[in-house]
Amino acid sequence: MQRYGIDIWGEDDFIIDHDKVRVNHLSSPALYDIVEEIRSKGTKGPLLLRFPHLIQKQIDAVFNTFHEAFEVLQYQGDFKAVFPLKVNQYPDFLKPLIDAGASYNYGLEAGSKAELIIAMSHIQSSAPITVNGFKDKEMIELGFLSAKMGHDITLTIEGINELESIIEVANEMKAPVPKIGIRIKLHSIGSGIWQKSGGINSKFGLTSTELLEAMELLKQNNFLDRFTMIHFHIGSQMTQISNLKKALREAGNIYADLLRMGASSLQSINLGGGLGIEYTQNEAYPEVTYSLKEYASDTTFVLQGIAKAKNVKEPNIIIESGRFIAASHAVLVAPVFELFTEEYSEKALRLKSENPPLIEELHELYTCIKPDTALEYLHDSIDHLNSLLTLFDLGYIDLIDRSNSEILTHLIIRKAILMLHDKPVKELRQIQDKIQEKYLVNFSIFQSIPDFWGLAQRFPVMPLAKLDTRPTRSASLWDITCDSDGEIDFDSKNPLFLHSVDLDKEDYFLGFFKVGAYQEVLGMKHNLFTRPTVVTVKITKEGYRLTELVKSDSLMKILEDLNYNPVTIQEKFLANIQKSSFITPSEHKRVYAKIVTILEENGYLKTFN
Ligand SMILES: *Cc1c(COP(=O)(O)O)cnc(C)c1O
């Protein structure tokens, strides 16, 4: 059975049972059934399913794992965590997250004014808010207002000028002054494709010289008691733990030295985000080489060691991991709209009463191929095809012969793949690479998995049903945008095999997993495909409940968002209908109604039924 790597990326969130992939929680419903139910109520196009229990699962894991690590090492500091809003700001994600984190006092991190407004209006006042990113005076004022409203807020400064602004605002707005954090520039750097955030040349943070200046500025203005936290972030999706350990040693020593220099309120080290998750579908190439447990115990161990050696109190540990919390809760489900394979069916053969000898031989290979001769016949057929193509170029065979050769060779390859499936035949991979089939999938890569377009990040993908049938087609996926970048090619490191399906008779859905972090807000409206319909699925003991259905935008809404005037558009249509000589007056109403119906629907393709 093809398991699509679910044992490595699935984290027990999803399981395969018989022919379907199921949510591994309480009643364990099949994704396929959930999707069919939603579609039966009239929703078409791709769907984004949210599973709030998976948000809870990740939050529980983070807090429990750190608490355990603290207990084992008798660590004296506290553990705190905040969710970085930039990872997913949608309310139907955020509200369950806030509920799930309430008992842990899980907080929020904001990187812009809009995010800070979300944090201030949604988080319970005992939970921490941290503010990163560049800040103008108004954003700092907003931070002071938040402190006045009773929030536990820390403004993390990214440069000396921000500290100067804080002092200015403090003199104007008086107490309470928010806590002050300082982002430090580390010479340690992260690893992986998102590693830019660390290092001496990173966009954010204070150098060691600036840090000393900041200390002096705080002292002179009597704000040293508000300086409570140092912060760093070495980049997202850390692939190895060794870089974090390096960064922790550096940050731990900075913390200890600042304490010794008189920063007596300094009590926390904020490690930022970066906790990685496994996206790979191939066990031979894991992306992440450490576990949450290792992350927690290494962090605790390193910081404890430095605190002991330098004889300072053990710092509170704050983390801002976002991807780890949010990625797994959302699954994008996209229907396959069309399968481009017809040209290679037996039906398409146009054999003549007399064919060139090589074609007769190909036909013979095709009818006689058996498992023990499969590899040999496969080689022969590819040889023959090459010879036949040369014959065509030289004018010795015609277009019909050429088409027959191509069809027969593909049919032989397909049979050979089936017969050799369990054997480790290296060439098979290369051949599959060449004969990949195009699955046209009713979604937009730019809208729903922009990190594939921008960073070549692959997301786990698999069909939701037919899992008891061996898939034999090496698939490349095309989205429905008119952009050649909207394609996920067949990757021999991470090969995707899909089923033969008759889409006139059945639906075939692909699930893209772990799309809950970053993808939604980064998604682009390329070709004016907007967010798919989003549905929250609450799994119960008896079944599941669908809540919070947010419909994909109608065409009218999409145009309105671009600043077109819907009234003008409709008036134009009415006028054109009335002017047209092709439409009789008695048809006016019907034609106009048809247009209005289309305008009220979303722009994705409609698959049959
Ligand atoms: C983006 C960001 C995070 C979140 O990173 P993840 O890799 O999603 O955990 C945390 N802190 C800061 C400062 C960030 O910029």
Side-chain angles (χ1 to χ4, degrees), residues 82-87 109 130 132-133 158 183 194 197 204 231-238 270-276 295 319-325 517-518:
V82 290
F83 178 78
L85 279 165
K86 77 163 185 280
V87 178
E109 183 263 354
T130 61
N132 298 322
E158 312 278 357
R183 182 150 175 176
W194 285 283
S197 330
F204 300 108
H231 174 243
F232 67 87
H233 171 67
I234 58 173
S236 202
Q237 182 69 350
M238 246 177 6
N270 180 336
L271 327 184
L275 189 49
Y295 176 87
I319 71 164
E320 296 179 333
S321 273
R323 182 185 303 277
F324 184 86
I325 299 290
Y518 297 102

